[in-house]
Amino acid sequence: MLAKIYGSAVFGVEAETIIVEVNIDKGIGYHLVGLPDNAIKESNYRIAAALQNNGYRIPGKKITINMAPADMRKEGSAYDLTLALGILSASNQIKSPDIEKYIIMGELSLDGSLQPIKGALPIAIKAQQEGYKGFILPKENAKEAAIVSDLEVYGIENIKEIIDFFDKGVALERTIIDTRAEFHKNLNFPEFDFSDVRGQESIKRCMEIAAAGGHNIILIGPPGSGKTMLAKRLPSILPPMTLHEALETTKIHSVVGKVKNMGLMSQRPFRSPHHTISDVALVGGGAYPQPGEISLSHNGVLFLDELPEFKRGVLEVLRQPLEDREVTISRARFTVTYPSSFMLVASMNPSPGGYFNDPDAPVTSSPMEMQRYLGKISGPLLDRIDIHIEVTPVPFEKLSEERKGEGSVAIRERVTVAREKQTLRFSKMETVHYNAQMNTKQIREFCKLDEGSKGLLKNAMERLNLSARAYDRILKVARTIADLENVLEVNGDHISEAIQYRSLDREGWLG
């Protein structure tokens, strides 16, 4: 007898429906075709034990299973439940006339209990788009899948529950989530707050500008000056995520199995990989491509602490995603694209010894060591970082102050207002949402300068020997400063402040 069950495969951040055809005939054998990987090929052992421990069995006949489309690679253990139900249905151990109306996924334990799967959200989205009645999956993934409206989602703990549902009509408990209510409920404020930072007013101002325009930023300072502390607090002043951004972000984290019982993510991600990370782990890829750290930072912050300690090859692969805000991974048979619109926050010591440009500390690095250290960061990569700022140690008097500094709530309000101006400005553009995303044409349109401002910028360009890309960065930052001040036109004051945020372009750093 032939039975059809429907599952799903995830490629990139999108899902494709997989038809599992199970045919049972006279003879003996177990044949699984349709480009399954080893995890799927081993599923018959898990399925046999799970069925036996729940009063069912794999029939001793010739079983042929085809996973269609047959030319598409399938991977992972999430098809266990799909295959098991196909075998039960084809062997008439259960009667299931409605089984083809559902997408069914889940990894089986030997006792029949279900383990969570990856990619539940994109699978649910695809199921809803293709008109399936419901999605049955492990209970740990139910909240994540129930984000999708107009789709019945049932979370189960054991294979016996789904067998009784189809064969005996025993009702399953549907998981229902009010997506908007869930989103607003989880909009709690991040645990780190700028009020904890003593002193560093100029750096806080710089971080506010970076957040308001979505600008990449690098913090340069000696050990203990507070670079990491400042970076960790950046998400607390970024505008709250929109529902669309939350869905996008949850989708990516779902693919790598980092959502589970969380439901909808409403906090901007903050990722801080170690400097020993490989380029594949950072950008994404592998034999079966998975999102990397930069895609997991989508709509949030990627923090690279001690930037020169990262391998140069790893840093160079950042250049294209920083420019295009997406990562494309190509293989012989397919290509996947992951979104990667993130804010890059990097930190570094000013020298190998850590105290270059500090008048109170001895110079311990030779010019050659300095050049080798700073040379680990290429010019093209630095050009893609809009703001370079020096962070100096906080004096004891500031550290011992009882009075707290301005908190993240107040800063976030100004940042949000500035972002709203940018949203309105770029409302007719699909790919641009804030100042850091402007291309050269848009910079010329929205960052027009008077003659005085042009002269000021020309002198800075000549004196600092800045590249054309650095010129664009200065104009973008100046536009953001003007937005924070609620000024329509960029003026000389905005240009002057923006020029100050190009520390590594000054003579004595990389020259």
Side-chain angles (χ1 to χ4, degrees):
M1 182 179 172
L2 176 67
K4 285 186 180 182
I5 311 290
Y6 294 89
S8 196
V10 177
F11 295 95
V13 291
E14 305 297 333
E16 293 292 335
T17 299
I18 301 297
I19 305 169
V20 177
E21 301 172 308
V22 182
N23 188 69
I24 297 181
D25 207 347
K26 293 179 181 179
I28 295 176
Y30 185 90
H31 307 285
L32 182 59
V33 297
L35 291 182
D37 71 351
N38 286 333
I40 301 175
K41 290 175 182 176
E42 293 170 351
S43 64
N44 64 311
Y45 300 107
R46 295 189 294 273
I47 293 168
L51 293 182
Q52 185 175 357
N53 287 324
N54 285 275
Y56 297 88
R57 61 184 177 80
I58 292 182
K61 295 185 177 181
K62 182 181 179 181
I63 301 173
T64 304
I65 301 175
N66 177 45
M67 303 180 76
D71 62 346
M72 183 186 293
R73 185 78 177 173
K74 291 62 169 204
E75 62 177 68
S77 54
Y79 297 97
D80 290 359
L81 186 60
T82 323
L83 297 172
L85 287 177
I87 292 170
L88 291 175
S89 183
S91 61
N92 283 321
Q93 294 183 70
I94 63 170
K95 296 176 182 178
S96 49
D98 293 334
I99 203 166
E100 294 185 15
K101 297 178 182 178
Y102 294 85
I103 295 290
I104 301 168
M105 297 290 286
E107 177 188 336
L108 284 171
S109 295
L110 299 186
D111 62 354
S113 59
L114 290 170
Q115 300 297 320
I117 64 173
K118 297 178 180 179
L121 180 54
I123 292 172
I125 292 171
K126 187 68 173 180
Q128 189 268 341
Q129 289 173 347
E130 295 193 345
Y132 286 90
K133 181 180 180 181
F135 182 17
I136 302 174
L137 74 170
K139 195 165 189 175
E140 284 188 57
N141 300 111
K143 279 185 71 175
E144 174 188 345
I147 292 169
V148 180
S149 59
D150 301 323
L151 181 72
E152 296 178 11
V153 174
Y154 299 101
I156 61 172
E157 295 180 334
N158 192 284
I159 190 174
K160 192 73 166 63
E161 295 175 45
I162 191 171
I163 291 173
D164 290 345
F165 172 67
F166 284 119
D167 193 40
K168 301 175 182 177
V170 178
L172 292 174
E173 184 180 353
R174 182 178 174 183
T175 303
I176 300 175
I177 287 181
D178 184 333
T179 305
R180 291 188 179 277
E182 183 80 7
F183 171 67
H184 291 293
K185 183 184 76 174
N186 292 332
L187 277 176
N188 299 319
F189 210 72
E191 62 176 305
F192 298 113
D193 195 282
F194 265 104
S195 62
D196 302 326
V197 180
R198 298 289 190 270
Q200 304 289 25
E201 297 306 320
S202 62
I203 312 303
K204 289 171 72 173
R205 161 70 175 173
C206 194
M207 300 289 274
E208 179 180 339
I209 294 168
H215 302 289
N216 302 320
I217 182 172
I218 183 167
L219 308 172
I220 311 125
S225 57
K227 303 185 296 293
T228 302
M229 182 182 189
L230 287 159
K232 285 183 176 179
R233 282 154 179 76
L234 182 60
S236 71
I237 64 172
L238 289 173
M241 278 209 288
T242 63
L243 183 58
H244 175 71
E245 287 177 328
L247 285 167
E248 268 190 336
T249 306
T250 306
K251 200 173 175 182
I252 297 168
H253 285 250
S254 171
V255 170
V256 293
K258 294 184 178 293
V259 179
K260 296 181 183 175
N261 284 319
M262 289 171 56
L264 190 66
M265 294 178 64
S266 56
Q267 297 294 332
R268 293 190 181 275
F270 180 87
R271 307 291 298 182
S272 180
H274 193 260
H275 65 260
T276 56
I277 191 172
S278 68
D279 52 353
V280 171
L282 184 67
V283 176
Y288 304 112
Q290 289 280 294
E293 288 291 334
I294 63 173
S295 294
L296 293 173
S297 306
H298 182 59
N299 292 322
V301 174
L302 175 66
F303 177 48
L304 301 183
D305 197 9
E306 301 301 338
L307 189 67
E309 299 301 326
F310 285 78
K311 294 190 286 287
R312 181 155 183 153
V314 171
L315 295 180
E316 290 306 298
V317 297
L318 274 174
R319 286 162 54 179
Q320 180 261 335
L322 282 172
E323 204 73 23
D324 299 340
R325 301 190 179 272
E326 64 179 20
V327 177
T328 301
I329 298 166
S330 298
R331 294 291 180 267
R333 302 179 69 91
F334 60 88
T335 298
V336 296
T337 299
Y338 297 113
S340 58
S341 181
F342 60 92
M343 271 187 68
L344 174 64
V345 181
S347 74
M348 61 179 284
N349 293 331
S351 66
Y355 296 97
F356 178 70
N357 277 358
D358 187 342
D360 298 323
V363 177
T364 58
S365 304
S366 68
M368 185 176 292
E369 289 173 327
M370 280 285 299
Q371 192 65 32
R372 189 183 303 119
Y373 176 75
L374 296 173
K376 292 181 180 179
I377 310 170
S378 69
L381 177 60
L382 279 177
D383 278 346
R384 286 168 170 81
I385 299 177
D386 298 354
I387 298 175
H388 314 157
I389 188 70
E390 292 181 63
V391 183
T392 55
V394 181
F396 176 78
E397 292 75 17
K398 287 284 187 182
L399 286 174
S400 58
E401 278 185 356
E402 292 294 329
R403 183 177 61 86
K404 285 193 171 186
E406 187 178 28
S408 293
V409 173
I411 300 173
R412 179 189 254 190
E413 286 177 0
R414 295 195 296 268
V415 167
T416 303
V417 171
R419 282 283 185 103
E420 287 170 353
K421 289 183 175 65
Q422 294 163 49
T423 300
L424 183 61
R425 178 183 302 136
F426 305 123
S427 59
K428 296 181 181 179
M429 302 175 190
E430 291 184 5
T431 58
V432 181
H433 305 288
Y434 45 85
N435 291 335
Q437 295 178 326
M438 287 191 291
N439 59 30
T440 302
K441 179 182 177 182
Q442 291 150 0
I443 290 171
R444 299 295 178 269
E445 181 180 352
F446 298 114
C447 305
K448 294 177 181 178
L449 303 179
D450 57 30
E451 291 304 316
S453 300
K454 285 181 181 178
L456 177 65
L457 186 52
K458 179 183 177 183
N459 289 336
M461 292 287 295
E462 292 173 349
R463 182 164 51 86
L464 300 176
N465 194 27
L466 300 179
S467 68
R469 188 176 276 115
Y471 171 85
D472 287 347
R473 305 295 170 186
I474 289 171
L475 288 177
K476 288 181 183 181
V477 173
R479 177 67 267 172
T480 300
I481 296 169
D483 288 338
L484 282 168
E485 294 183 1
N486 197 23
V487 176
L488 289 176
E489 300 295 334
V490 176
N491 60 40
D493 291 340
H494 306 141
I495 294 292
S496 295
E497 185 175 358
I499 291 169
Q500 293 176 30
Y501 301 140
R502 300 295 300 182
S503 292
L504 291 179
D505 292 324
R506 293 203 296 267
E507 188 177 353
W509 282 102
L510 294 174

